[in-house]
Amino acid sequence: MPQQSAVTVLAPLPPENRDRVLDALAHLAGPGRSALAFDRHPGLHFARLLLVEGGPSPTGAEIGPSLLYAADLDGSAEAHLRALADVSAEGLDRAFGSCTGYPERPDPDGRTAWLKAHRIPEAAFYVNTVGRGVSQVLAEEGLRRGLETYLDAHRADVAGLSPGQIHAVLRRHALADPQLRFGAVPARRPPVWWRTRERAHLVAVPLVLLPVAPLILLALPFVAVALRLHEVRDVPDRQRPDPAAVERLRAAEDRVGQNPFAAVGFLKPGPFRAVLTRVVLLAISYAVRHVLNRGDLAGVKTIHFARWVYLTPERMVFLSAYDGSLESYMNDFIDKVAWGLNAIFSNGIGYPPTVLLLWRGARQEDLFKDHLRNHQALNQVWWSAYDQLTALNTGSNAAIRTGLARRSLSDAEARAWLALL
Amino acid sequence: MARPALTAGNRRAGLAGAGTGAPPPVTDSGRRLDRADVQGLVGSGYGRLPEAVFLGLQVDDGAAGRRLLADLLPLVTSMAGDRADSALNVAVSHPGLGRLGMPQAALAGFSLEFAGGMAAPTRSAFLGDVGEQAPATWAWGGPHHPRVDLLLLLYARSAEELTAHRDSIRQRFPADGVREVVALPTTPVSPRDHLGFADGISQPAVTGLHGRSERGVALGEFLLGYPNAYGRRTGRPLLPAADDPGRVLPPAPRADAPDSVDLGRDGSYLVVRTLAVDVDAFWSHVHRWAARTGLPPEQVAAKMVGRWPDGTSLTVSRDHPLGDEPVDNDFRYHRDGDAAGLGCPIAAHVRRANPRDSLDPRPGSDASVRVNDRHRLIRRGRQYGPPPGTSDGTGPDGERGLHFLCLNANLSRQFEFVQHTWMDNPAFAGLHGSPDPIAGHHPPDGGGVFPLPADPVRHRLLDLPRFLRLRGGGYFFLPGVRALHHLASHPAHQSSVRDGKDRP
């Protein structure tokens, strides 16, 4: 049972090369799709390339454009970079060839070294279901299809049986079919060392914080006042999104069951917001690692992976892979987890006004949706290993396998299990 | 240019005739609904006027268009005058607003979806209007057809009266500058649709729409200018007060924009989609799967629709229609024991058009209903074409279907969301590869699947064809009555002056 990793590579490029890179990305998204060979990386869930536009920062510094590669994958990030430098060499050279310092005569070792040198850390990384690898997702979809096909043909034969007996019939069928046999065995649990480490981390963080807890409690009222003072001075963005820009984004959306999302923005200036953002990201990291790691990001069940990354100390990017349309994604945010969105994104310039970090903010639907569109970036290249499967689909497929792997089910259990098919 | 006479006498004309010869006076705080400012279609589908025809007009000359609009104003039916013997409502497309002289700044205040239009490539892709449903194949409203700038919706008590009503309106069309480019006839209102099912049962209750006692979805979900489900006023065009010298339009709330008037107030977005329905294909599919599953054909059809033909919900009565009048529509799927869809399948048409308490957060809870209610539509459709023959509609006897009309304040969160994320989404509510059994875009290779939950093990209907074919459509704006007056009187030179930027 593989653990999931994130890779983020950020490569600056000379501004005069921007259009050349865009051309290369258009080629790699279209006729030259095979050059990146993402399908030849077995544990790769999602991968994308996007051009992060340059421009002036709020403090006046000029930021150049850069090319960003992000991947969600099974196993180690380093191994993925090595494989990429070899298997995806042609596409890599084409995409990054115009970036500053890319090897003139690239070979696998040179590329790997360059990629590693440009790798940047994720401040927080959300995985829908920790441990569920690509091969498991694909195999369990095949299992569901196999069982559905069997039921389509044999429903009349089994309809007179009890639910528990039907489970037994389906289990026998799976065991007899080499393609489905794996489904009669439960998915492997994470290794003991990994579970021990996670448990240790789960406990250690509160233990370390415990001695300073009184200090934190004492400081909270002062932090709240300082926060309010910052909030009333914040200037929300009233800009409506540019229709042409929205049209460009829309043209790339909703082609398959999932969409990649990317948003880029500057943090509100000053040390207060800088520290607050760090603290919130640490809290998110802890929560997604130990609590929100079973198919549910605080009420939103459509996100496969998500990450927050510092591009510079004052500029962040948020990336995710989600099911359905951006409209439904934004509605989920507003209706189900507005407080969570506010906690992190209200540290970005132009966010709809918040009250004490968690309140209002995204609940101002029109302002929030405009803000998101204004900060959204186009993913010029995007790849998914299972682009028609929603997170709910993969979860229910896994539950089908879990039930099938049980030797027998009571009628009540079997009835609930059969409802998954 | 003909301007409506601003006489007090006309204001009460709603009771006598259709009546909005003068703009209703701007009243009070703007919190309460001013029925005289809302076109009648918002409040009712004119069920007591069984005959209807919809006329699409192209405006080539803005002045002629405004003149026609001014001539039609006395006939426009408001909610205050919806007891008349005939009715006329007027909707305008985004290009139509431009033709009538709306300045660019005002046009930019409308929603992006409306501005782009239903036939825009990104909207077509999103709504599933591709392949043989694509705008290029439509009978009206597509890229190869004349623009529909104005849509006139005419209603009357009988066929004769509708003809007279239509002729009296056509007489007002100017000889030049405005052309009728499409006429969409309808069949008289019937309790059943072409598939034989009671239609239009679930309409949202809207707070304050029909009086103070009505409680339900926020008024701002359907009418611009009022707080919506998030307590905010949906984006809409606000004009500088100077652009409204006659003080026809209501003032905009100061918080939104000081010294502005509200062109959107009391208006709503009108979605029109002409959907041809293949009745024969539907019933032959039903009979085929009835034979395979051993279920009665009526039950298979009811499972796909989600209601029995008489409108009884399958959640209320699983095994047979109740024949109640009116039908019990106060049910919820989870609360009333149908979470798994053993009564009404999760994939059924009506359950995905309005899932009630089926979805997150916490299915079965009021919170679930609250989120659901941010995606409601007021439906005002009419059937067209000959009713199918009695023998399950065999024999091709001409195209028939539904002019689907619905009203909402936010096209993206309401109509488009329902169409894309609920109806046409193969993964709706955790399903696998199952778009709406009737309205969904099933893959042409016969991959359409309809899971029919049963105890202990489900049926699955396979190889679903497409029963509906989109024949035309468009996004329109159904302005408030005052906004119609403003459009009719808006002098063309004013916008050109503004474009010249030499206004103070």
Side-chain angles (χ1 to χ4, degrees):
Chain A
M1 187 177 200
Q3 308 315 312
Q4 280 66 47
S5 312
V7 164
T8 312
V9 171
L10 184 71
L13 54 107
E16 63 271 19
N17 286 359
R18 176 186 169 275
D19 291 349
R20 196 183 310 157
V21 170
L22 281 177
D23 287 344
L25 295 180
H27 175 76
L28 292 170
R33 201 148 179 94
S34 59
L36 281 163
F38 285 136
D39 55 338
R40 290 176 55 205
H41 295 269
L44 185 59
H45 292 254
F46 300 96
R48 71 176 99 197
L49 282 162
L50 69 119
L51 187 109
V52 181
E53 298 284 1
S57 83
T59 52
E62 191 60 33
I63 300 180
S66 41
L67 181 57
L68 186 142
Y69 171 74
D72 309 291
L73 54 114
D74 300 329
S76 107
E78 296 233 343
H80 174 66
L81 289 181
R82 273 197 305 278
L84 206 63
D86 185 13
V87 177
S88 304
E90 187 193 339
L92 222 52
D93 293 348
R94 186 139 193 158
F96 286 103
S98 309
C99 291
T100 312
Y102 194 76
E104 295 265 326
R105 292 182 197 287
D107 58 22
D109 285 345
R111 285 188 207 101
T112 308
W114 189 85
L115 288 171
K116 278 188 188 169
H118 287 83
R119 197 175 159 209
I120 55 174
E122 296 77 29
F125 178 49
Y126 167 75
V127 180
N128 179 281
T129 301
V130 174
R132 192 188 298 148
V134 173
S135 61
Q136 186 186 343
V137 167
L138 297 177
E140 287 172 353
E141 169 66 4
L143 177 67
R144 181 191 66 84
R145 285 172 184 259
L147 297 178
E148 300 264 31
T149 306
Y150 180 83
L151 277 182
D152 288 340
H154 297 93
R155 186 192 180 275
D157 308 336
V158 301
L161 304 177
S162 72
Q165 288 170 323
I166 299 173
H167 170 264
V169 169
L170 286 170
R171 194 175 146 83
R172 271 201 303 281
H173 168 67
L175 282 167
D177 183 334
Q179 299 290 316
L180 307 182
R181 193 175 295 151
F182 77 93
V185 180
R188 233 180 295 161
R189 296 183 65 196
V192 175
W193 67 263
W194 184 86
R195 278 182 283 157
T196 313
R197 193 191 69 188
E198 291 302 294
R199 243 178 258 139
H201 185 269
L202 171 71
V203 178
V205 172
L207 275 184
V208 169
L209 287 178
L210 201 59
V212 290
L215 280 177
I216 296 176
L217 282 176
L218 278 175
L220 263 184
F222 299 98
V223 174
V225 170
L227 175 62
R228 254 334 265 158
L229 288 174
H230 279 84
E231 284 179 335
V232 294
R233 285 200 304 265
D234 286 341
V235 184
D237 188 1
R238 296 268 168 189
Q239 181 78 34
R240 286 195 69 192
D242 169 27
V246 173
E247 202 62 8
R248 268 197 303 282
L249 291 164
R250 280 183 160 165
E253 283 168 4
D254 306 311
R255 297 193 174 173
V256 293
Q258 306 150 347
N259 276 309
F261 182 74
V264 183
F266 287 99
L267 295 178
K268 289 168 181 166
F272 182 82
R273 288 290 185 179
V275 172
L276 183 58
T277 307
R278 277 287 178 193
V279 170
V280 171
L281 283 167
L282 285 173
I284 292 177
S285 281
Y286 183 80
V288 300
R289 183 163 172 182
H290 297 297
V291 189
L292 308 172
N293 57 2
R294 278 278 167 270
D296 189 341
L297 184 55
V300 178
K301 299 173 182 168
T302 53
I303 304 176
H304 294 262
F305 290 92
R307 73 182 72 187
W308 289 261
V309 180
Y310 282 93
L311 296 171
T312 71
E314 55 180 3
R315 196 183 194 201
M316 295 204 72
V317 61
F318 170 76
L319 304 174
S320 67
Y322 66 92
D323 300 321
S325 72
L326 187 71
E327 176 69 26
S328 70
Y329 191 49
M330 294 192 292
N331 290 333
D332 273 353
F333 279 162
I334 298 167
D335 293 336
K336 294 165 189 168
V337 66
W339 62 272
L341 267 277
N342 293 347
I344 179 64
F345 289 103
S346 74
N347 297 299
I349 287 179
Y351 193 79
T354 48
V355 175
L356 288 177
L357 196 63
L358 305 182
W359 285 273
R360 293 192 72 205
R363 298 289 293 187
Q364 298 153 100
E365 180 207 8
D366 45 340
L367 298 183
F368 175 72
K369 287 178 176 174
D370 285 354
H371 179 76
L372 226 60
R373 277 290 191 199
N374 280 332
H375 287 81
Q376 196 184 348
L378 191 65
N379 298 279
Q380 281 87 1
V381 176
W382 183 66
W383 185 83
S384 164
Y386 38 89
D387 60 15
Q388 297 299 345
L389 287 179
T390 66
L392 280 179
N393 286 158
T394 59
S396 110
N397 288 347
I400 290 170
R401 193 247 190 101
T402 304
L404 189 74
R406 300 260 310 270
R407 280 177 195 285
S408 68
L409 296 181
S410 72
D411 279 345
E413 288 171 330
R415 186 170 275 119
W417 180 74
L418 283 169
L420 297 168
L421 287 165
Chain B
M1 189 175 76
R3 286 202 59 166
L6 289 164
T7 60
N10 280 2
R11 279 178 203 151
R12 297 183 56 232
L15 293 176
T20 48
V26 175
T27 51
D28 66 273
S29 63
R31 275 257 155 195
R32 256 190 71 195
L33 182 68
D34 177 2
R35 293 165 57 82
D37 195 37
V38 181
Q39 294 204 52
L41 192 65
V42 176
S44 103
Y46 299 117
R48 65 197 170 73
L49 302 175
E51 297 282 347
V53 64
F54 308 139
L55 306 178
L57 275 57
Q58 176 169 316
V59 177
D60 297 313
D61 172 34
R66 286 192 296 278
R67 216 154 41 234
L68 171 63
L69 208 50
D71 280 350
L72 293 176
L73 281 171
L75 299 176
V76 170
T77 314
S78 77
M79 275 185 72
D82 66 358
R83 279 200 211 84
D85 296 341
S86 64
L88 169 69
N89 282 160
V90 179
V92 196
S93 71
H94 197 261
L97 288 165
R99 287 280 155 165
L100 291 173
M102 272 288 102
Q104 192 52 46
L107 290 174
F110 286 97
S111 85
L112 288 183
E113 296 76 28
F114 173 62
M118 187 187 283
T122 60
R123 297 301 84 206
S124 294
F126 191 72
L127 298 170
D129 304 340
V130 294
E132 53 183 30
Q133 316 272 343
T137 69
W138 293 357
W140 71 275
H144 309 309
H145 301 109
R147 258 188 356 259
V148 177
D149 294 323
L150 286 175
L151 188 70
L152 308 184
L153 308 146
L154 283 63
Y155 301 85
R157 289 187 303 186
S158 67
E160 296 73 35
E161 290 188 17
L162 182 68
T163 307
H165 187 37
R166 188 195 61 200
D167 290 347
S168 82
I169 282 168
R170 277 185 178 155
Q171 276 167 16
R172 296 167 193 246
F173 294 174
D176 287 314
V178 178
R179 294 184 287 142
E180 180 179 315
V181 292
V182 62
L184 304 170
T186 70
T187 38
V189 168
S190 143
R192 300 286 175 96
D193 65 16
H194 286 315
L195 294 179
F197 283 78
D199 193 22
I201 295 168
S202 273
Q203 298 281 9
V206 184
T207 301
L209 183 62
H210 294 103
R212 283 185 164 184
S213 60
E214 185 170 358
R215 286 278 172 276
V217 180
L219 191 56
E221 290 292 289
F222 303 103
L223 288 181
L224 298 177
Y226 298 88
N228 64 18
Y230 294 103
R232 301 184 57 83
R233 291 182 176 83
T234 303
R236 64 209 182 279
L238 306 177
L239 313 178
D243 276 11
D244 182 38
R247 289 286 177 271
V248 174
L249 295 172
R254 294 199 66 78
D256 289 7
D259 278 327
S260 294
V261 288
D262 193 339
L263 183 71
R265 171 86 169 272
D266 291 324
S268 186
Y269 291 110
L270 172 69
V271 177
V272 182
R273 285 164 81 79
T274 297
L275 297 160
V277 55
D278 191 338
V279 176
D280 297 342
F282 177 79
W283 285 106
S284 72
H285 181 83
V286 163
H287 282 286
R288 194 165 127 235
W289 284 96
R292 288 218 203 163
T293 57
L295 299 170
E298 189 190 43
Q299 189 168 19
V300 171
K303 290 280 187 185
M304 291 168 71
V305 172
R307 290 184 184 273
W308 294 99
D310 72 350
T312 306
S313 167
L314 291 166
T315 294
V316 174
S317 173
R318 291 186 184 183
D319 302 322
H320 55 90
L322 297 177
D324 291 347
E325 186 65 44
V327 299
D328 176 2
N329 198 37
D330 198 25
F331 63 92
R332 290 184 188 174
Y333 294 108
H334 275 244
R335 185 194 64 191
D336 296 338
D338 201 12
L342 291 171
C344 179
I346 289 159
H349 178 67
V350 303
R351 187 161 177 165
R352 57 203 304 160
N354 179 16
R356 298 179 184 229
D357 65 341
S358 292
L359 302 180
D360 279 337
R362 287 175 278 120
S365 69
D366 288 342
S368 171
V369 175
R370 266 200 304 282
V371 171
N372 179 77
D373 281 351
R374 290 166 191 153
H375 311 284
R376 299 303 305 277
L377 306 168
I378 294 178
R379 287 172 298 142
R380 295 293 185 233
R382 291 270 171 136
Q383 312 278 330
Y384 72 92
T390 45
S391 57
D392 288 342
T394 47
D397 50 353
E399 183 182 310
R400 62 172 68 87
L402 169 71
H403 296 303
F404 171 88
L405 272 65
C406 75
L407 293 163
N408 57 160
N410 187 329
L411 285 167
S412 181
R413 171 158 59 77
Q414 293 170 278
F415 167 70
E416 290 196 348
F417 178 94
V418 172
Q419 168 75 19
H420 175 273
T421 301
W422 285 352
M423 308 289 274
D424 211 19
N425 178 3
F428 168 76
L431 297 171
H432 295 264
S434 309
D436 188 287
I438 293 162
H441 293 102
H442 306 292
D445 57 3
V449 172
F450 178 68
L452 203 165
D455 187 35
V457 62
R458 93 289 185 274
H459 298 279
R460 281 212 311 176
L461 277 50
L462 306 177
D463 307 327
L464 267 75
R466 295 183 184 177
F467 303 117
L468 298 186
R469 185 162 171 225
L470 185 60
R471 304 297 291 131
Y475 287 154
F476 296 90
F477 181 59
L478 188 78
V481 172
R482 289 194 208 101
L484 275 180
H485 279 268
H486 177 82
L487 285 173
S489 65
H490 193 81
H493 60 86
Q494 194 170 328
S495 55
S496 56
V497 169
R498 182 197 331 267
D499 293 346
K501 296 218 191 298
D502 55 2
R503 260 177 57 242

